[in-house]
Amino acid sequence: MRFDIFTLFPEILAGVFDESILKRARQANLLDVAVHDIRAYTTDKHHVTDDYPYAGGGGMIMKPAPIFAAVEAILGCPPSAPVILLTPQGRVFTQTVARELVRHPRVALICGHYEGVDERVREHLVTDEISIGDYVLTGGEIPAMAIVDAVARLLPGVLGDPAAAANDSHATGLLEGPHYTRPAEFRGWRVPEVLLSGNHGEVLKWRRHEALRRTWLRRPDLIAAADLSEADRAFLAELARAAETQ
Ligand code: ADE
């Protein structure tokens, strides 16, 4: 899968795809990330990429011409891939959106900056707008990194264990329960005995219960939307009863 990232600040993105799992994914040709400097597509002497808003109002607006020129130079006209603008006004990025994006062989990300981008970019170039959450960052570079990371780890072969992504927090609709590694006792705190028991069935049941418990405590909104069995519901009812009697 290939990402084309369009930005005024390519240096921010240098390096993040050069470490750890994403680096290996790129070396294995599972992932390709190209960062394009929007400023390189300006045609004026001073390489201006932003300007004052018509009719006043605060802040600067990213000009349409350099953004159109950059995206069309790389992806053609019309662009041959989804073109996503990163903006706090977009639909909120979730694991479901990551799964949707990973189906595309190529995705373009435009990093917004300043007060925003000229509306004609939204209307005539962009095919989707994504926000990584209800807070405002100084630009779309960090959101672009978050999206590439979340999507890349869903590509087959990127994670060492092919089942890992399927069990992640959010992938199942629930948060994952706790994890432990050696030693079995650290400062007097023991790992739950069931994890040392070698009883695979009991371990699976414990993991499911802990995922349900954690989600119920921390993100009850996810419980409402999760795909739950009768046994899951019975366990949740038990949790609720126990909480009431406390
Ligand atoms: N640009 C600024 N804030 C953002 C956000 N929350 N998501 C995506 N792009 C942004």
Side-chain angles (χ1 to χ4, degrees):
M1 179 176 188
R2 175 176 163 114
F3 283 95
D4 288 284
I5 305 179
F6 296 87
T7 171
L8 289 174
F9 301 98
E11 301 78 26
I12 299 178
L13 292 150
V16 278
F17 308 118
D18 273 332
E19 296 289 341
S20 182
I21 293 176
L22 296 189
K23 177 183 183 178
R24 268 184 275 127
R26 290 174 57 225
Q27 285 171 340
N29 287 326
L30 299 169
L31 174 70
D32 184 11
V33 184
V35 178
H36 309 285
D37 186 353
I38 294 172
R39 199 174 301 280
Y41 294 86
T42 51
T43 50
D44 62 305
K45 196 167 92 197
H46 298 292
H47 304 292
V48 175
T49 57
D50 61 328
D51 207 337
Y52 294 100
Y54 272 121
M60 299 295 276
I61 307 296
M62 285 171 75
K63 292 166 76 64
I67 302 177
F68 272 84
V71 172
E72 288 173 355
I74 302 300
L75 289 146
C77 181
S80 55
V83 178
I84 300 172
L85 177 66
L86 300 164
T87 159
Q89 297 185 4
R91 63 188 175 121
V92 177
F93 188 65
T94 61
Q95 195 66 26
T96 304
V97 178
R99 279 195 291 262
E100 189 187 310
L101 295 184
V102 78
R103 294 204 299 264
H104 295 282
R106 191 172 187 182
V107 168
L109 302 174
I110 301 175
C111 304
H113 250 272
Y114 313 119
E115 268 309 291
V117 303
D118 186 284
E119 190 65 15
R120 288 161 291 190
V121 172
R122 282 206 159 88
E123 287 176 345
H124 305 292
L125 184 65
V126 157
T127 58
D128 196 359
E129 298 182 33
I130 291 181
S131 163
I132 61 161
D134 288 341
Y135 42 84
V136 182
L137 301 168
T138 55
E141 284 74 16
I142 290 170
M145 292 178 206
I147 289 172
V148 171
D149 193 290
V151 174
R153 61 194 295 293
L154 299 179
L155 288 167
V158 167
L159 295 186
D161 172 4
N167 292 327
D168 279 338
S169 285
H170 295 290
T172 61
L174 297 176
L175 304 181
E176 273 188 288
H179 298 288
Y180 295 89
T181 187
R182 267 167 278 272
E185 186 170 323
F186 171 68
R187 296 189 176 180
W189 301 309
R190 278 196 66 74
V191 166
E193 287 307 321
V194 61
L195 298 181
L196 312 174
S197 69
N199 185 332
H200 188 58
E202 283 301 311
V203 169
L204 284 181
K205 187 166 134 196
W206 181 85
R207 289 214 166 115
R208 184 73 185 172
H209 283 178
E210 293 312 309
L212 287 164
R213 186 196 310 279
R214 188 158 279 192
T215 311
W216 182 75
L217 285 170
R218 298 184 183 192
R219 293 291 305 274
D221 57 308
L222 296 180
I223 292 281
D227 186 12
L228 301 177
S229 68
E230 277 307 309
D232 292 338
R233 290 187 196 285
F235 180 71
L236 288 170
E238 227 174 86
L239 288 181
R241 264 197 307 276
E244 268 168 31
T245 57
Q246 254 175 22

